Amino acid sequence: MIRIVLIGAGNVAHHLLQAFSASKLVTVAQVYNHSETGLGQLSFSGKKTTVLEKLEDADAYIMAIPDDAVATVSKALPFSGRLVIHTSGSVPLDAIDPKNNRGVLYPLQTFSKQRHLDYATIPVCLEAESEKDYMLLERLGKAISGQTHRISSEERKQLHLAAVFVCNFVNHLYHIGFEITGKNQLPFSLLLPLIRETASKLDSGTPAELQTGPAKRNDKKTMAKHLDALDLPEHKKIYSLLSEAIQHTYGRKKL
Amino acid sequence: MIRIVLIGAGNVAHHLLQAFSASKLVTVAQVYNHSETGLGQLSFSGKKTTVLEKLEDADAYIMAIPDDAVATVSKALPFSGRLVIHTSGSVPLDAIDPKNNRGVLYPLQTFSKQRHLDYATIPVCLEAESEKDYMLLERLGKAISGQTHRISSEERKQLHLAAVFVCNFVNHLYHIGFEITGKNQLPFSLLLPLIRETASKLDSGTPAELQTGPAKRNDKKTMAKHLDALDLPEHKKIYSLLSEAIQHTYGRKKL
């Protein structure tokens, strides 16, 4: 049985707590958060503390905290020589204070408190400084997910960057779809089957093989009509830039 | 029983043929295409022709053909006073030659030949010139889908524009994710659970409620690191424009 202490009470902490609590291989010995309010919102019946000095002994300390808190919180830990892990996509392993052994456990997913996630399908990206620590990290990863991957800090940075495009930016395009339908008194739900299929389709080919639409087929007439139909200058700019990018990609237009 | 003739042999024709063939309320009397090659690729054991003059009698003629062929093909039809329908998102109803009664049946989905689609969940957008024709269109729509909607030419144009953002542009962002992972010898499949969840999440909130990421939380340090890590000027441009759009949307930056 691996004993862990979870540090943090945000979305990622909430989901990790659920996933680790469901595993028979891991005990969550304690949860720490700097404020009582955050702690109170977690559904956890075990030990909680807001005082770093009261952290229990554990095999691993998992920090699910904001990126810019990793350095300060890890420095403030009142012990050394133990395994301290962060869970961030964009923070390198060596942002953790070197007085402890350092590791990363990065679940590559988007987390909202209200969503139930099937952790078994989430890729968990692992990094450690020693083979011994890596073995422990891998046991932790496998306790919650069917797929663990050894990913370096540099690779994780690139993955996180790719994730911004395929998740954060994609969601903003959904938002523009929401604005266009809303402005025309059309239900956004009309677009949901299309949105789901666009994502699901990736099972059957690469994005390049699956690209469709006016820009792909160089349909200038439709693109001009669309630009004309858009009200907001920002929407026009995004339409133009992404259409040009598609045209470049499929050889219709030289850079 | 409604007798239809299908005109076209592309992706949309292929899927409509499958959907109508599966319905007990509709008979596909014949399929027309201008070339033998296209016709040969359809799995259809009924009558086929490449000659417009040989079109059979039917209750409705459904054109699943390129946008810019709607006017010419509808004009070339050797009859008048019948119901002629197109299936395009961006073409107005009145692009169909007025010698026939005109209608639109637009399935709001992205079509690839290799994908099996669950037609029952696809919104079918309908438009007709008379109530009598609309009733027939609605029976056709309900024969293949659980949801039909009365949508005007102007509304359909806006829906199609929104679809370009949430499908075509989204797929290009998937492609950029594919390029970033590929360049770093990382499997694109690592991103698939994130991509699926980003789409599925829309069941539990609006895109604005679900927005996450560095631009949303105005994390300038991470955005600067990301811009620095991108090689292609076009990727940098897309990163900047979409990050700024997110910052504007959530009040971090004035336009």
Side-chain angles (χ1 to χ4, degrees):
Chain A
M1 186 72 98
I2 311 172
R3 260 175 80 86
I4 63 167
V5 167
L6 194 61
I7 297 174
N11 289 345
V12 177
H14 166 86
H15 282 282
L16 282 175
L17 180 59
Q18 286 198 321
F20 282 122
S21 298
S23 164
K24 286 173 186 159
L25 307 169
V26 176
T27 306
V28 182
Q30 190 184 29
V31 179
Y32 162 90
N33 192 52
H34 68 286
S35 88
E36 283 284 1
T37 322
L39 270 186
Q41 285 160 0
L42 286 180
S43 59
F44 178 60
S45 55
K47 290 184 190 167
K48 300 176 183 180
T49 183
T50 57
V51 182
L52 284 178
E53 283 67 28
K54 292 192 180 163
L55 289 184
E56 306 253 319
D57 277 3
D59 300 308
Y61 297 79
I62 304 182
M63 300 183 290
I65 57 179
D67 290 358
D68 53 12
V70 167
T72 42
V73 171
S74 64
K75 202 172 173 184
L77 293 174
F79 49 74
S80 62
R82 303 189 192 172
L83 181 58
V84 173
I85 296 165
H86 81 61
T87 54
S88 161
S90 58
V91 174
L93 174 131
D94 61 15
I96 302 170
D97 192 278
K99 69 182 173 185
N100 281 294
N101 303 328
R102 302 177 289 187
V104 178
L105 183 150
Y106 168 51
L108 185 40
Q109 188 51 283
T110 172
F111 296 97
S112 310
K113 274 216 178 96
Q114 67 271 34
R115 293 280 299 170
H116 174 77
L117 286 174
D118 180 11
Y119 240 93
T121 64
I122 299 176
V124 175
C125 305
L126 305 174
E127 184 182 10
E129 292 181 291
S130 74
E131 216 38 43
K132 184 174 157 280
D133 288 345
Y134 188 82
M135 302 279 279
L136 183 66
L137 269 172
E138 198 167 38
R139 283 168 62 207
L140 280 174
K142 289 202 188 302
I144 56 172
S145 167
Q147 45 167 327
T148 59
H149 303 267
R150 192 190 288 258
I151 300 285
S152 70
S153 285
E154 176 56 28
E155 289 170 332
R156 196 173 58 254
K157 182 176 150 190
Q158 296 288 341
L159 268 181
H160 183 253
L161 177 53
V164 168
F165 280 91
V166 305
C167 169
N168 305 150
F169 291 168
V170 158
N171 189 69
H172 190 65
L173 296 183
Y174 296 160
H175 176 66
I176 295 176
F178 187 89
E179 290 185 301
I180 294 172
T181 49
K183 237 195 78 192
N184 293 279
Q185 284 85 48
L186 293 162
F188 179 61
S189 60
L190 281 176
L191 297 173
L192 288 179
L194 175 65
I195 285 172
R196 282 194 210 103
E197 170 67 9
T198 303
S200 303
K201 247 182 164 180
L202 295 172
D203 289 341
S204 49
T206 66
E209 288 163 357
L210 298 167
Q211 186 66 50
T212 56
K216 168 69 191 296
R217 58 176 192 271
N218 206 25
D219 177 350
K220 290 184 184 123
K221 215 169 126 189
T222 300
M223 287 189 275
K225 278 200 289 183
H226 279 168
L227 275 174
D228 192 52
L230 287 166
D231 287 329
L232 297 179
E234 194 166 77
H235 289 179
K236 284 185 202 279
K237 259 166 113 178
I238 293 171
Y239 190 97
S240 295
L241 183 59
L242 288 173
S243 292
E244 280 167 26
I246 293 170
Q247 289 174 296
H248 299 157
T249 304
Y250 303 96
R252 306 292 197 166
K253 229 176 174 178
K254 288 271 178 292
L255 269 172
Chain B
M1 186 71 99
I2 311 174
R3 262 175 79 84
I4 63 166
V5 166
L6 194 60
I7 297 174
N11 288 346
V12 178
H14 165 85
H15 281 282
L16 281 175
L17 181 58
Q18 286 198 322
F20 282 122
S21 299
S23 165
K24 285 173 186 158
L25 306 169
V26 177
T27 306
V28 182
Q30 189 185 30
V31 179
Y32 163 90
N33 192 53
H34 68 286
S35 89
E36 283 283 0
T37 321
L39 271 186
Q41 285 160 1
L42 286 180
S43 59
F44 179 61
S45 55
K47 291 184 188 167
K48 298 177 183 179
T49 183
T50 58
V51 183
L52 284 178
E53 284 67 28
K54 292 191 180 164
L55 289 185
E56 304 252 317
D57 277 3
D59 299 308
Y61 297 80
I62 302 182
M63 300 183 292
I65 57 179
D67 290 358
D68 54 11
V70 167
T72 41
V73 170
S74 65
K75 200 171 175 185
L77 293 174
F79 49 73
S80 61
R82 303 189 192 172
L83 181 58
V84 173
I85 295 165
H86 81 61
T87 55
S88 162
S90 57
V91 174
L93 174 133
D94 62 16
I96 302 170
D97 191 279
K99 70 181 172 183
N100 281 293
N101 303 329
R102 302 177 290 188
V104 179
L105 183 151
Y106 168 51
L108 186 40
Q109 189 49 283
T110 172
F111 296 96
S112 310
K113 273 215 177 99
Q114 67 272 33
R115 293 280 300 170
H116 174 77
L117 286 174
D118 179 11
Y119 240 94
T121 64
I122 299 176
V124 175
C125 305
L126 304 175
E127 184 181 9
E129 292 180 292
S130 73
E131 217 37 44
K132 182 170 156 281
D133 288 346
Y134 188 83
M135 302 279 278
L136 184 65
L137 268 172
E138 199 168 38
R139 284 168 61 208
L140 279 174
K142 288 200 185 303
I144 56 174
S145 168
Q147 46 166 326
T148 59
H149 302 268
R150 192 189 287 258
I151 300 285
S152 70
S153 285
E154 176 55 29
E155 288 170 331
R156 196 172 58 254
K157 182 176 150 189
Q158 297 287 342
L159 269 181
H160 183 254
L161 177 53
V164 167
F165 281 90
V166 305
C167 169
N168 304 150
F169 292 167
V170 158
N171 188 69
H172 191 65
L173 296 183
Y174 295 160
H175 176 66
I176 295 175
F178 186 89
E179 290 185 300
I180 293 172
T181 49
K183 237 197 79 192
N184 294 279
Q185 284 83 49
L186 293 161
F188 178 63
S189 60
L190 281 176
L191 297 173
L192 289 179
L194 175 65
I195 285 172
R196 281 194 213 104
E197 171 66 9
T198 304
S200 303
K201 247 182 164 180
L202 295 172
D203 289 341
S204 49
T206 67
E209 287 163 356
L210 298 166
Q211 187 66 51
T212 57
K216 168 70 190 295
R217 60 177 191 270
N218 205 26
D219 177 350
K220 288 183 185 126
K221 215 169 125 188
T222 300
M223 287 189 275
K225 279 200 289 182
H226 279 169
L227 275 173
D228 193 52
L230 288 166
D231 286 330
L232 297 180
E234 194 165 77
H235 288 179
K236 284 183 202 279
K237 261 166 110 179
I238 293 170
Y239 189 97
S240 296
L241 183 59
L242 289 173
S243 292
E244 281 167 27
I246 292 170
Q247 290 173 294
H248 299 157
T249 303
Y250 302 96
R252 303 293 196 167
K253 229 175 172 176
K254 289 268 179 298
L255 266 173

